[in-house]
Amino acid sequence: MSRETSVAMTGATHRALRQLLLRGDGQEDLCFATYRASTGRARRTALLVQPIPPRPGDRDVHGNATVTGDYVLRAANEARQMGGGVALLHSHPAGSGWQPMSGPDRDAERSYANLAREITGLPLIGLTLAGRDQAWSARHWDRGVGREVERTDCVNVRVVDDRLRVFWHDGLRPEPRDTGRQLRTVAAWGHGTQADLTRRRVLVVGVGSVGLDVAVRLAASGLTDVTIMDFDLVEEHNLDRLIGAGPRDVRLRLPKTHVARREALRNATAADPRVRISDRSVCERDGLAVALDHDLIFSCVDRPWARAVLNSLAYTDLIPVIDGGIAIDTREEGSMRNATWRSHVVRPGRPCMVCTRQLDMSLVALDTQGLLDDPAYIAGGGRASGLRQNVAPLSVNVAAALLAQYVSFSVAPGGFGDPGPLQYVLSTHELHHLGPSSSPSCMYEPSEPVGDQRADLTGKDPVAERGRHRARTSPLILRLRRSISGRLDERHWRTAF
Ligand SMILES: [Zn+2]
């Protein structure tokens, strides 16, 4: 299966490389770096790990910059020792935007591609840094061998910093067609930002009350490629919070993903919106592979196991996760004392969900065994998750908090990126900025992205299997009605544009 390719790096790596590649004398320069692979279902990403600065005599910068064989070998051997590959990076000091490959650029990368792959077992990655706007462009030399070695251009390059910067190959992922329906949004942050945001592939994990709202808002803002992941069915007790779902959806035992897709498409403003659905759990191996295809993830699940997987991949695979939740404090006699909702972006440079106490790892083991939802276990004195309380009018506040984090992290209003963890206290109506709280012994915020070498947290997920089983084993008449209703909805969206 041919996969899309991409490159991702942290803001710290971007700054270190910029320092090496953009010279005071305005000449082109080059260097090597190591990378590790992150393999999704449809995308392969090279995660840059460490720049390898040249030593004196390692390269010649007069005219077209060139490197010595010793430098290439040193870089490839360093990469092999860490189980990674090697990237060759160079600058175009006067360039801006995604850079085309000149003949000499192509020949230089091609001449090292075979050697790099022979030593590391992984394809050479080529990157170009444009000096004027510091935009990256990239390719994987992953096809053919010997003289026939060929490159696959990347769809994008992502820099994960206090804001997410994404550089696009306009040929492979063109700017979405302007529909005139996003005029007010474009007026708020300009055409360039809109062209970036609307091309990002965004995953919403969990489409309960919060996830459904988030998915609908993303589609309404013009995003062209949203994936919704959930395995639950719509039930009667969901209806106070699943805005758009109705009694008919309960009668048809519709999966929540179908309702979310219908509502997202109904509100989408892109000319050709794609809302994909997945009935996997992110705790399952193929669910994780789906997640790895995305540029940004919204965590709208309350299950500790799923949150643990997302918490980890924000660091191991450099896919930022926007996470949040609500806690309701109820008095013994049943009245409400307080409610707090939190939101934060999980990414390198920010504390993880465990450090901010948004994830209790002791519950993850119970969740992997399916015990958090098991009535017999809870009745026998086991711990219930305690995360299921919610108040219908408040879930929109959690969605709003996540979306505000998303806008700050994507657009950086006034130059401020993501604000760090926030907590809103309902009783006093105060917003708290929660300070940096990473534990020095945190296991989840490693200094290097490890990609496919990550500790495997996935496994057989009995809760997801039960959910899918319920969808599959509905009576035939229900499945028929579900299919007809889905087709009618589909026709409605197609004719709406
Ligand atoms: Zn941590």
Side-chain angles (χ1 to χ4, degrees):
M1 178 175 166
S2 80
R3 286 191 172 94
E4 279 187 353
T5 62
S6 175
V7 169
M9 70 186 91
T10 61
T13 302
H14 164 74
R15 285 184 285 278
L17 289 167
R18 184 180 62 189
Q19 190 80 21
L20 287 170
L21 292 171
L22 297 179
R23 302 166 59 93
D25 64 9
Q27 297 205 67
E28 274 194 38
D29 207 345
L30 44 71
C31 70
F32 286 100
T34 54
Y35 80 89
R36 289 197 181 94
S38 166
T39 312
R41 195 175 65 164
R43 182 176 76 182
R44 190 181 292 117
T45 300
L47 309 168
L48 297 189
V49 178
Q50 280 291 344
I52 302 174
R55 293 176 184 156
D58 266 350
R59 86 261 194 246
D60 179 8
V61 295
H62 301 292
N64 281 314
T66 53
V67 293
T68 62
D70 281 355
Y71 188 19
V72 183
L73 285 174
R74 181 158 65 86
N77 282 320
E78 267 191 45
R80 183 179 59 180
Q81 277 165 26
M82 50 156 264
V86 62
L88 174 57
L89 309 97
H90 74 282
S91 56
H92 286 174
S96 60
W98 194 276
Q99 295 294 291
M101 289 285 277
S102 69
D105 287 349
R106 198 170 47 234
D107 293 344
E109 290 186 7
R110 178 178 272 144
S111 67
Y112 303 124
N114 290 306
L115 181 64
R117 188 162 50 186
E118 240 165 65
I119 295 175
T120 65
L122 286 167
L124 176 79
I125 307 298
L127 283 106
T128 314
L129 177 63
R132 285 167 72 177
D133 60 357
Q134 297 177 23
W136 288 102
S137 33
R139 51 261 155 208
H140 292 208
W141 288 86
D142 57 358
R143 292 182 288 135
V145 286
R147 285 167 169 273
E148 306 300 314
V149 66
E150 256 315 325
R151 72 183 198 270
T152 304
D153 283 328
C154 290
V155 168
N156 64 22
V157 177
R158 296 166 280 137
V159 178
V160 183
D161 206 355
D162 60 347
R163 64 178 295 189
L164 176 64
R165 296 186 73 197
V166 188
F167 305 101
W168 294 97
H169 186 306
D170 286 333
L172 293 177
R173 189 79 61 84
E175 283 184 22
R177 195 150 45 86
D178 187 10
T179 62
R181 295 175 187 138
Q182 301 150 17
L183 268 182
R184 297 293 161 88
T185 305
V186 175
W189 50 51
H191 177 82
T193 298
Q194 182 73 352
D196 168 19
L197 298 194
T198 49
R199 279 184 276 187
R200 295 179 183 186
R201 190 172 284 163
V202 177
L203 172 66
V204 181
V205 181
V207 278
S209 52
V210 174
L212 174 62
D213 267 3
V214 167
V216 167
R217 295 283 166 183
L218 293 176
S221 72
L223 263 66
T224 52
D225 210 336
V226 176
T227 308
I228 290 163
M229 183 181 281
D230 205 314
F231 47 78
D232 256 348
L233 305 184
V234 181
E235 293 181 74
E236 194 84 35
H237 67 262
N238 299 135
L239 291 187
D240 67 345
R241 279 164 292 122
L242 284 185
I243 305 304
R248 183 166 156 272
D249 300 325
V250 177
R251 279 199 305 278
L252 289 175
R253 295 172 73 180
L254 273 192
K256 285 181 181 169
T257 49
H258 289 213
V259 172
R261 179 167 189 267
R262 180 185 74 205
E263 297 307 310
L265 286 171
R266 206 172 256 169
N267 290 282
T269 60
D272 191 15
R274 268 168 81 170
V275 179
R276 291 181 246 225
I277 58 181
S278 169
D279 64 358
R280 300 292 106 180
S281 154
V282 77
C283 308
E284 296 169 318
R285 187 174 291 251
D286 44 0
L288 176 68
V290 168
L292 293 175
D293 289 345
H294 292 82
D295 303 317
L296 184 69
I297 298 177
F298 281 85
S299 158
C300 306
V301 276
D302 52 10
R303 293 187 59 204
W305 187 11
R307 292 164 57 74
V309 171
L310 295 173
N311 185 53
S312 159
L313 74 82
Y315 302 95
T316 57
D317 295 85
L318 300 184
I319 303 176
V321 174
I322 300 179
D323 175 65
I326 188 165
I328 311 277
D329 186 4
T330 309
R331 290 197 182 90
E332 262 180 34
E333 90 281 1
S335 66
M336 187 173 166
R337 182 186 283 126
N338 197 5
T340 53
W341 51 89
R342 292 188 179 224
S343 61
H344 58 154
V345 179
V346 186
R347 61 163 179 89
R350 290 285 187 210
C352 76
M353 293 184 200
V354 179
C355 288
T356 54
R357 299 191 185 158
Q358 295 309 291
L359 172 62
D360 179 350
M361 290 306 284
S362 71
L363 294 177
V364 175
L366 296 178
D367 195 9
T368 57
Q369 300 163 57
L371 290 177
L372 291 183
D373 283 311
D374 184 345
Y377 176 79
I378 294 165
R383 289 168 74 179
S385 69
L387 298 167
R388 293 294 164 89
Q389 295 158 316
N390 212 327
V391 176
L394 294 181
S395 60
V396 67
N397 291 285
V398 184
L402 297 187
L403 289 165
Q405 289 273 3
Y406 160 72
V407 170
S408 284
F409 184 52
S410 303
V411 179
F416 294 100
D418 89 76
L422 296 177
Q423 181 190 43
Y424 192 87
V425 179
L426 183 68
S427 56
T428 55
H429 285 276
E430 285 172 299
L431 181 69
H432 300 292
H433 283 257
L434 307 173
S437 53
S438 289
S439 154
S441 57
C442 175
M443 295 160 57
Y444 307 96
E445 302 166 38
S447 52
E448 290 181 356
V450 293
D452 296 340
Q453 295 168 27
R454 74 189 81 80
D456 187 7
L457 298 178
T458 63
K460 195 171 146 71
D461 184 347
V463 179
E465 285 175 358
R466 278 204 297 275
R468 288 194 294 269
H469 181 74
R470 284 172 61 215
R472 270 199 309 272
T473 54
S474 309
L476 181 63
I477 185 72
L478 274 189
R479 279 182 280 151
L480 268 174
R481 279 204 203 148
R482 211 150 59 193
S483 157
I484 293 167
S485 138
R487 272 184 213 168
L488 286 176
D489 282 339
E490 193 84 32
R491 195 186 306 167
H492 169 78
W493 309 319
R494 295 298 156 217
T495 51
F497 287 101

